[in-house]
Amino acid sequence: MELLAQLPQNLVSGLLLGGMYALIGVGLALVFGVMDIVNLAHGAFLMVGMYTTYLLVNHLGLDPYLGILVSGPILFVLGMLIQRLVIKRIATASHMNQILLTVGLSMVLVNTAQLLFTADYRQIRTSYAETVIRIGSVSMNLAYIISFFLAVAITVGLYLYLMKSEFGRALRATSQDIHAAQLMGVNVQNVQMTAFGLGMALAGAAGALLTPVYYLYPTVGENFGLKAFTMVVLGGMGSVVGAALGGVTLALAESLGQIFVGHELKDAIGFFVFILVLLFKPEGLFGRARA
Amino acid sequence: MSKVKELILPVLLAVAVLAVPLVIKNPYWLNVLILILVWTSLGTAWNILGGYAGQLSLGHSAFFGLGAYTLAITATRFGWNPWLGIALGILLAVPLSLFIGSITFRLHGPYFVLGTLAIAEVLRLVALAWRSVTNGAVGIMVPRLFMGISRAPFYWFIAAVAIVAVGLTWWIERNKVGYYFTAIREDQETAESIGINTTGYKNLALVISAVISAVTGAFYASFLSYIEPDIVLSEPVSLQMAIVAIIGGRGTVLGPTVGATLLVLASELFRAQFKQAHLLIYGLLLMAAILFLPGGVLGTIQQRLKDRRAARLAATGATFVARKEAS
Amino acid sequence: MRRGPVRALALLMAVLLLAGCGGSATQSPGSSSSSSSSGSSGSAGSGTSSGSSGASNPSSSQANLPDEIEIGIITALTGSEAKFGEAHMRGYQIALEEINAAGGVLGRPLKLIVEDDASKPENAISAAEKLATQTKVPLIIGSYSSAATLPAAQTATTYQVPFIVPTAAADNITEFGSRYVFRINSPSSEYASTVVNFLMDQVKPKTMAIVYENTNFGTSTAQPARELAEKAGIQVVAYEGYAKGAPDFKPLITKVKAANPDVVLYVSYLLDATLLMRQARELDFNPKVYIGAGAGFSTPEFVREEGAGKDAEYTFSATLWTTDVAWKGAKEFAEEFEKRYGVEPAYHSAETHAALYLVKDVLERAGSLDREAVRQALAETDMGPDATIFGPMKFNEKGQNAHPMLVTQVQDGNYVTVWPSEYAAAAPILPTPTWSERK
């Protein structure tokens, strides 16, 4: 087993996948870390983003990456609607009720997709995904590279926005002390709705970035539901940048870990890391870099 | 005397449940009833830990799968009698639950839920990969507990499990243990401060819950006659256990029974009626139930009764006061 | 508080009663009409059996036959395997119309009673119970996945109902000692032996890598493949299970590539097969032969744009059936199928089509709908290679059909049968050109 020979490829693969993971983690960080909603439908949101991208590419002939500009706002509005109609009512309910409600929501979204698109799997073919860049023994798919940089750009943009904007301040205030925020004149209702919309839009963006390199089918999000929580926990609750780093860390752990435990158990690595972090470093690996 | 009186109704209920196969001979409906009892047992097991002691687990497939696999492995690899396999499953459920408890009880709120989910997933992946013991995804053929064509013995076995589980819940609710459990659920720190050994009682609830789940898992394995990790160790099993208890009424004696009945019948009917859309309808109903009956069917009914009684008490109190003033 | 349980009991009873009424009122779903559609029955083989020497005497038993002969079907109409259930139903439908248009069976039209198992084992038991006890079907055909088929087959055995397995490949389905279970398709281990036999006959590799999904199908094919390869003197230099549905197989392929095998055997379904080939190209991984064990590597979509497309070129696969196979009626069936549904049929549809022709043959030989007589007739089946579009039918003492397996290669974007030579439509192209040599 030429461990060293495999290392560079696995590093690069993990890092590129990490970009997508980062966006998934950041989306959940807003909903779970900041708003304290235990949302198991995050994987389904990713799936909705993927199908939206698929429709834009197939029926409007849009470029999948430009599609984010369309699918992002669509999912943002959809997220706000879901928050207003459903999530709002359980914001203060027990965590178990939140979980079961979001499981129900996930079933509804997944099975709606199944009725609309059947269980068949689909993929979009782009010239990016056909282009391969080789550096030494390492091969990189251009689509992965673009997706990675876009993911980084979106995360950085979001971070700056949250740091600088009025909304960012209101969001931080709300997540720290909802009553105090209300007294200070923050419209808490709107903040929570916007945060959920943003979370869904980010999951959708991650879906859009995955579409060119992956394939879509209604249950595609299942793999990412619990993983997203791992990323948020790794990054430290409430930290947007932390969740992004958590996503990259998890992707690297899976990619490097499988050299030792094989591909079959790579998902177990994530769960294992999740439990260890909860037990020994509950504040997350990246401290409390509050965003 | 009142103790005996209290027992009359539950005993009648149990006898009624056990008498069913004498009336319903149709194998299809007997089968549906067996599934209802399987989920009653599982929901009730979950309810003891989640409904009474307030520890919301989404990892109970671990115990269910343990029972199923213990029976399957001992019977096929070592030629054990399946009843011995069930007994060993019960024995093994204790250390496994204490081990999982030692990890997860250090977590709180949503982290406890997610932690249990993660551990159960790890076990599923290990069962898939550890082929020399579990056969991995190929699965194991499980011997039947009862020979012969009739499903009735299967029914009686799982009915007995369900009755014991529900009876245990009934007993817990009426005893000190139940008060300790609910004290932990309502406010763990306060419970601690008045001298309740919270860790001990949480573990007790977990062990009881795990043992019932393991027995049911062993039964289910034999009933299906074939198991693999994705059937008995999968996340949907854990979820469905919680759903049954919560839709029926968390922290009520018969809540999980009601929940199991509703859900199994619903899924049988939906499958026939809605074909492709049955899971969509199921999801919508689940959402509706959580939104509009947060206490579950039975929990909501009981709450209504309480409110009405309180209103009546308040009313009689008011007339009493009014009379007093008039005199 | 004391009234809680009483009320609950009342409620429970009410629900049960309601469900009972509702349940008895529901029709069994999906009973398909026995209409003979026009002009669709033109060309397929009429299924005369070479083995039935006119032993049946329909006229004597006609009197006690029902107006329609009902056949029990279990398949996955909903749930995760719904796609394959649909393929099943399409095969049944075409065969049903052909048989009924040609006069039915024993002078009566066939009718299918279809039960959905929703891709779940526990429902497959319910479905088999229902068919065995609520209907008079002489036999049951089912289901798709091995996980659902096993319990259904055991249930049917309990009730002594003959049970035909069209698709499920797990070896243990014919291993639990049932006299009632008869399987048309080959078990997983046959894929393994076909692959190794083909390699020894045509390629004679020194080393081999086996990459398989860690599912029932994957492991029960990869394990015997490894053993047979070692026995044949091929060194297995990489043996890697994977979890299906991963977005990135590059680390896995990198590991396999580092072992430098002559041949790579993939045991994968469509999604992973597509990605494994695509990323093998990206990593410029060039073994002499890429071969699949059926599944994804013999699905029509695999060679098209929505699958691996041109990355599928030159890949071999062991398979049960192809549209160009030399069995009578296969080509015509494929044409009819494509005309109706706009896609090429996969082997699942051919299996169910053949299953109904098997049923026709068996019932005519049994001459009655008595389950024991039908079981006896099934055991004595001896249908020649042109009796069904899925080839010959003859069951051994375990109820396993000796189905001849084929090896295909993707040539110019089509599956071409290349081995064994008696069924081959073209010669295999060996060795596989490297990625850089391809256009």
Side-chain angles (χ1 to χ4, degrees), chain C residues 328-370:
Chain C
K328 195 173 155 191
K331 224 184 219 69
E332 291 81 354
F333 170 75
E335 282 161 11
E336 171 63 23
F337 193 98
E338 194 144 5
K339 200 170 78 194
R340 277 192 199 206
Y341 305 115
V343 288
E344 244 182 61
Y347 58 89
H348 316 96
S349 305
E351 283 164 343
T352 53
H353 183 277
L356 271 199
Y357 275 96
L358 168 67
V359 168
K360 175 182 190 313
D361 181 80
V362 165
L363 292 182
E364 279 171 351
R365 278 184 292 110
S368 86
L369 302 187
D370 174 68

Side-chain angles (χ1 to χ4, degrees), chain A residues 20-267:
Chain A
M20 253 79 79
Y21 276 22
L23 270 194
I24 298 171
V26 167
L28 191 69
L30 284 176
V31 173
F32 176 55
V34 178
M35 306 275 74
D36 199 31
I37 303 281
V38 188
N39 174 26
L40 280 187
H42 203 68
F45 293 172
L46 180 88
M47 177 275 298
V48 174
M50 290 180 84
Y51 273 101
T52 313
T53 307
Y54 173 81
L55 286 177
L56 291 171
V57 171
N58 257 22
H59 294 268
L60 299 177
L62 271 181
D63 181 279
Y65 294 118
L66 287 176
I68 295 180
L69 297 175
V70 184
S71 63
I74 292 176
L75 273 106
F76 180 70
V77 173
L78 192 62
M80 294 214 296
L81 271 176
I82 290 176
Q83 200 276 344
R84 197 24 61 104
L85 296 174
V86 180
I87 305 292
K88 198 176 129 191
R89 298 161 179 266
I90 53 148
T92 53
S94 80
H95 289 302
M96 200 68 199
N97 281 19
Q98 288 184 355
I99 285 172
L100 292 188
L101 184 96
T102 51
V103 164
L105 177 62
S106 176
M107 281 173 94
V108 170
L109 291 173
V110 166
N111 287 289
T112 304
Q114 189 148 340
L115 288 176
L116 291 175
F117 300 99
T118 70
D120 288 4
Y121 91 101
R122 294 147 201 270
Q123 59 175 351
I124 53 170
R125 286 256 167 176
T126 58
S127 56
Y128 309 117
E130 299 297 312
T131 313
V132 182
I133 295 167
R134 288 205 178 84
I135 300 173
S137 68
V138 178
S139 97
M140 288 173 283
N141 184 312
L142 182 60
Y144 263 104
I145 298 173
I146 298 175
S147 292
F148 175 80
F149 282 109
L150 277 176
V152 171
I154 293 174
T155 309
V156 170
L158 180 79
Y159 173 74
L160 292 175
Y161 172 69
L162 290 180
M163 287 311 284
K164 301 271 187 267
S165 71
E166 191 55 44
F167 168 75
R169 265 194 292 281
L171 183 74
R172 281 196 298 281
T174 309
S175 75
Q176 271 159 18
D177 187 341
I178 191 162
H179 300 294
Q182 235 159 344
L183 289 174
M184 300 292 292
V186 172
N187 185 338
V188 171
Q189 298 287 353
N190 277 354
V191 166
Q192 288 180 324
M193 198 163 78
T194 313
F196 200 88
L198 263 181
M200 185 151 180
L202 286 161
L209 297 182
L210 263 177
T211 312
V213 293
Y214 198 26
Y215 27 61
L216 17 40
Y217 49 99
T219 49
V220 69
E222 276 178 3
N223 282 336
F224 299 100
L226 196 53
K227 277 185 188 178
F229 281 100
T230 309
M231 303 167 201
V232 175
V233 168
L234 274 175
M237 291 296 294
S239 158
V240 169
V241 172
L245 291 173
V248 177
T249 311
L250 179 67
L252 281 171
E254 284 179 5
S255 160
L256 296 176
Q258 62 176 286
I259 295 178
F260 307 102
V261 299
H263 190 281
E264 276 186 275
L265 284 173
K266 79 174 170 51
D267 287 343

Side-chain angles (χ1 to χ4, degrees), chain C residues 20 23 46 48 58-59 75 86 98 115 132-133 165 179 189 226 318 329 336 428:
Chain C
S46 61
T48 47
S59 54
T75 191
E86 182 186 62
E98 287 169 359
E115 283 289 331
T133 60
V165 179
R179 297 164 61 238
S189 53
R226 183 186 199 171
E336 171 63 23

Side-chain angles (χ1 to χ4, degrees), chain C residues 20-139:
Chain C
C21 305
S24 56
T26 51
Q27 291 290 312
S28 61
S31 311
S32 107
S33 67
S34 51
S35 67
S36 52
S37 97
S38 53
S40 64
S41 59
S43 44
S46 61
T48 47
S49 78
S50 61
S52 68
S53 50
S56 67
N57 188 1
S59 54
S60 62
S61 52
Q62 292 280 343
N64 51 28
L65 283 176
D67 292 344
E68 292 176 311
I69 295 179
E70 293 182 335
I71 303 295
I73 306 280
I74 305 173
T75 191
L77 298 175
T78 57
S80 52
E81 321 287 2
K83 194 177 165 220
F84 299 103
E86 182 186 62
H88 267 179
M89 290 318 299
R90 288 172 170 180
Y92 285 129
Q93 191 57 36
I94 293 178
L96 183 76
E97 288 172 21
E98 287 169 359
I99 289 171
N100 285 344
V105 176
L106 300 170
R108 299 280 191 278
L110 280 185
K111 183 180 171 198
L112 308 182
I113 307 284
V114 184
E115 283 289 331
D116 176 21
D117 68 21
S119 315
K120 288 195 188 128
E122 61 182 50
N123 294 338
I125 291 186
S126 295
E129 295 251 354
K130 209 168 170 178
L131 289 169
T133 60
Q134 318 281 73
T135 71
K136 294 258 179 292
V137 297
L139 51 77

Side-chain angles (χ1 to χ4, degrees), chain C residues 220-237:
Chain C
S220 52
T221 306
Q223 191 61 40
R226 183 186 199 171
E227 287 158 14
L228 290 166
E230 299 278 5
K231 210 177 283 172
I234 308 171
Q235 196 193 345
V236 178
V237 289

Side-chain angles (χ1 to χ4, degrees), chain B residues 58-258:
Chain B
L58 271 187
H60 262 54
S61 62
F63 310 120
F64 182 77
L66 172 82
Y69 266 101
T70 308
L71 169 60
I73 291 169
T74 53
T76 52
R77 293 202 189 277
F78 313 123
W80 284 24
N81 178 315
W83 295 91
L84 268 178
I86 294 181
L88 183 67
I90 292 174
L91 285 178
L92 290 177
V94 177
L96 179 71
S97 58
L98 291 176
F99 170 70
I100 291 184
S102 71
I103 296 171
T104 53
F105 284 146
R106 295 164 59 182
L107 310 174
H108 297 287
Y111 300 109
F112 176 82
V113 185
L114 295 166
T116 52
L117 184 59
I119 290 180
E121 265 308 276
V122 169
L123 286 178
R124 181 181 70 87
L125 292 166
V126 168
L128 273 176
W130 198 11
R131 281 185 266 283
S132 56
V133 173
T134 62
N135 279 0
V138 173
I140 304 183
M141 307 281 293
V142 187
R144 295 177 57 140
L145 282 167
F146 309 100
M147 289 303 149
I149 198 164
S150 169
R151 285 267 182 214
F154 281 95
Y155 177 92
W156 281 314
F157 180 95
I158 192 66
V161 174
I163 287 168
V164 168
V166 174
L168 203 58
T169 313
W170 184 81
W171 182 84
I172 285 172
E173 194 171 70
R174 277 160 181 68
N175 279 281
K176 217 166 41 179
V177 176
Y179 294 119
Y180 293 162
F181 284 173
T182 41
I184 293 168
R185 176 183 74 202
E186 296 309 327
D187 187 345
Q188 193 170 329
E189 270 141 33
T190 310
E192 192 89 52
S193 66
I194 58 171
I196 297 173
N197 175 356
T198 54
T199 310
Y201 278 103
K202 280 200 288 191
N203 277 318
L204 178 67
L206 177 61
V207 167
I208 296 172
S209 177
V211 164
I212 299 170
S213 306
V215 175
T216 313
F219 166 83
Y220 189 79
S222 175
F223 173 70
L224 267 197
S225 73
Y226 166 75
I227 56 164
E228 46 129 333
D230 282 347
I231 295 177
V232 294
L233 280 165
S234 63
E235 192 186 332
V237 172
S238 304
L239 268 174
Q240 180 94 344
M241 281 169 89
I243 290 172
V244 159
I246 285 175
I247 297 239
R250 198 145 58 106
T252 59
V253 174
L254 284 173
T257 312
V258 173

